[in-house]
Amino acid sequence: MYIYNTGNDGVLTLKGNIATTLTNPFSILWNGKHLVINGGNQFQSYLRNSDGTLSLKNTYLASVTPVLIQGTTAFHPNGKFFYYTVNTSTAITSFSKLQLDSDGIFSGETNTVTGQNWSVMGPIHPTGNYFMTFHKLSAATRMFYPIADVNTGAVGTPTSNGTVTDTTLYPENGHCIYSSNANFLYCANNSNVGNNGTIVQMSVTSTSNAVLAPSSVLVQSPTAYLSPKSIILHPSGQYIYAYGETNIYAYAVDQITGVINATVLSSAPTPGGASCTSNSNVTRFAIHPQGNMLYAACVSTNGSNRLGSYPINNSGQLSLPTLTTIPNTTNSMNLHFVSGI
């Protein structure tokens, strides 16, 4: 794991690295005090020190395997627990929970619920009241899991959303994000089936059992796995960025209606160029909390691994990036911006 400092201009400076000994896949979660990283069936927690260095606090071996971080895995808003996905040999997905105490110690693993085969987990609603799942082979299959106890993370009886008529959403890679006011949900429609190549935008009309009304914005060529790979919302909530096949696109968002303006504000080449066009490559986003810099990583099978720092102006538009070479790897990379002490 590599650690970079960012200056006021957003330029990256390598601070150091930590050998985690973890295997693929690789994910990073942050709860305001600790970083949690996952590789294979192991989880590690690190205290983030005031100088930006990390101190290992705990290593945890999951009791249910294989662990698959499928979807938008993140801490509950209270920072106490998170969920992860498990695919068994019968291809039935279950969702397990891990607790993290104030000292960074894992506990309370629970095989909370069993989903349908090939389910992908969506983000926890900002209220902390529920999370939802999608089916990466059946677009109309969506389930809502209420979080019955926000202290323990216990999950209640799931319900399906029978009002959803959209049959074009296949967020296989699970890149879904809520708007800053939590009234809208956006998903990167990236799959090898269905009508992909879009951001699907949905209104959330209930905080307990959401009713979604989808509509779509075309990002780039609707070709399997190529676009959009990832999406991220600007801290202001006014702009959304999509990782396309060969370019990163900026769009304006109407914060009242939640609708993405289909007119592209700007575009800039992906950090890996043509190397980012394959499904086998890994692409990730992060945005500086001040909103003045977007960071995008591309890890490709040919070793052309780059991290791009893209300036963002006051109108949400992107400028050409400063490129940083990142360590060679074939299929594992994540990117997370951490601030505070």
Side-chain angles (χ1 to χ4, degrees), residues 188-274:
N189 198 16
N190 181 335
S191 177
N192 65 340
V193 293
N195 176 26
N196 47 60
T198 61
I199 300 172
V200 174
Q201 49 192 349
M202 297 165 277
S203 62
V204 180
T205 57
S206 169
T207 57
S208 58
N209 186 13
V211 177
L212 306 179
S215 58
S216 299
V217 171
L218 182 65
V219 175
Q220 202 167 336
S221 63
T223 305
Y225 294 122
L226 293 184
S227 176
K229 297 168 181 284
S230 308
I231 56 176
I232 194 168
L233 194 68
H234 190 270
S236 69
Q238 299 180 64
Y239 313 106
I240 195 168
Y241 301 91
Y243 211 130
E245 180 180 352
T246 55
N247 290 283
I248 295 172
Y249 296 88
Y251 296 91
V253 179
D254 187 314
Q255 293 181 282
I256 297 177
T257 66
V259 174
I260 301 170
N261 189 324
T263 301
V264 177
L265 279 178
S266 68
S267 65
T270 57

Side-chain angles (χ1 to χ4, degrees), residues 43-46 55-60 100 104-107:
F43 294 85
Q44 292 180 347
S45 63
Y46 291 82
S55 300
L56 178 65
K57 301 301 293 184
N58 194 213
T59 298
Y60 186 89
L100 194 73
I105 306 302
F106 293 108
S107 63

Side-chain angles (χ1 to χ4, degrees), residues 33-71:
K33 182 178 181 180
H34 294 96
L35 277 171
V36 170
I37 59 177
N38 156 258
N41 62 347
Q42 291 190 46
F43 294 85
Q44 292 180 347
S45 63
Y46 291 82
L47 173 67
R48 195 259 192 187
N49 302 309
S50 58
D51 63 353
T53 59
L54 299 174
S55 300
L56 178 65
K57 301 301 293 184
N58 194 213
T59 298
Y60 186 89
L61 184 66
S63 62
V64 183
T65 59
V67 171
L68 291 175
I69 302 297
Q70 290 196 125

Side-chain angles (χ1 to χ4, degrees), residues 124-135:
I124 298 175
H125 191 269
T127 61
N129 291 335
Y130 66 85
F131 66 87
M132 62 184 296
T133 64
F134 305 92
H135 196 293

Side-chain angles (χ1 to χ4, degrees), residues 22-27 38-39 280 282 284 299 327-334:
L22 296 178
T23 57
N24 297 332
F26 194 87
S27 62
N38 156 258
S280 62
V282 180
R284 293 292 184 266
V299 176
N328 286 335
T329 183
T330 56
N331 60 355
S332 177
M333 175 62 65
N334 215 314

Side-chain angles (χ1 to χ4, degrees), residues 83-201:
Y83 303 95
Y84 65 91
T85 51
V86 178
N87 266 16
T88 67
S89 58
T90 57
I92 301 299
T93 302
S94 62
F95 304 94
S96 288
K97 175 194 67 87
L98 270 182
Q99 198 100 353
L100 194 73
D101 67 18
S102 58
D103 293 323
I105 306 302
F106 293 108
S107 63
E109 182 182 25
T110 306
N111 192 238
T112 52
V113 289
T114 299
Q116 297 178 323
N117 60 318
W118 307 117
S119 291
V120 173
M121 186 174 178
I124 298 175
H125 191 269
T127 61
N129 291 335
Y130 66 85
F131 66 87
M132 62 184 296
T133 64
F134 305 92
H135 196 293
K136 68 180 184 180
L137 299 178
S138 176
T141 303
R142 303 176 193 173
M143 300 294 292
F144 295 83
Y145 292 87
I147 298 176
D149 190 324
V150 297
N151 291 311
T152 66
V155 175
T157 303
T159 58
S160 63
N161 187 358
T163 64
V164 172
T165 57
D166 173 59
T167 57
T168 63
L169 174 58
Y170 298 87
E172 183 159 342
N173 293 332
H175 295 286
C176 296
I177 51 177
Y178 280 100
S179 61
S180 53
N181 61 10
N183 291 332
F184 307 100
L185 181 68
Y186 307 99
C187 291
N189 198 16
N190 181 335
S191 177
N192 65 340
V193 293
N195 176 26
N196 47 60
T198 61
I199 300 172
V200 174
Q201 49 192 349

Side-chain angles (χ1 to χ4, degrees), residues 292-313:
N292 62 341
M293 189 71 68
L294 179 143
Y295 303 97
C298 174
V299 176
S300 68
T301 53
N302 66 6
S304 299
N305 304 324
R306 300 287 185 272
L307 176 60
S309 302
Y310 296 77
I312 303 174
N313 68 15

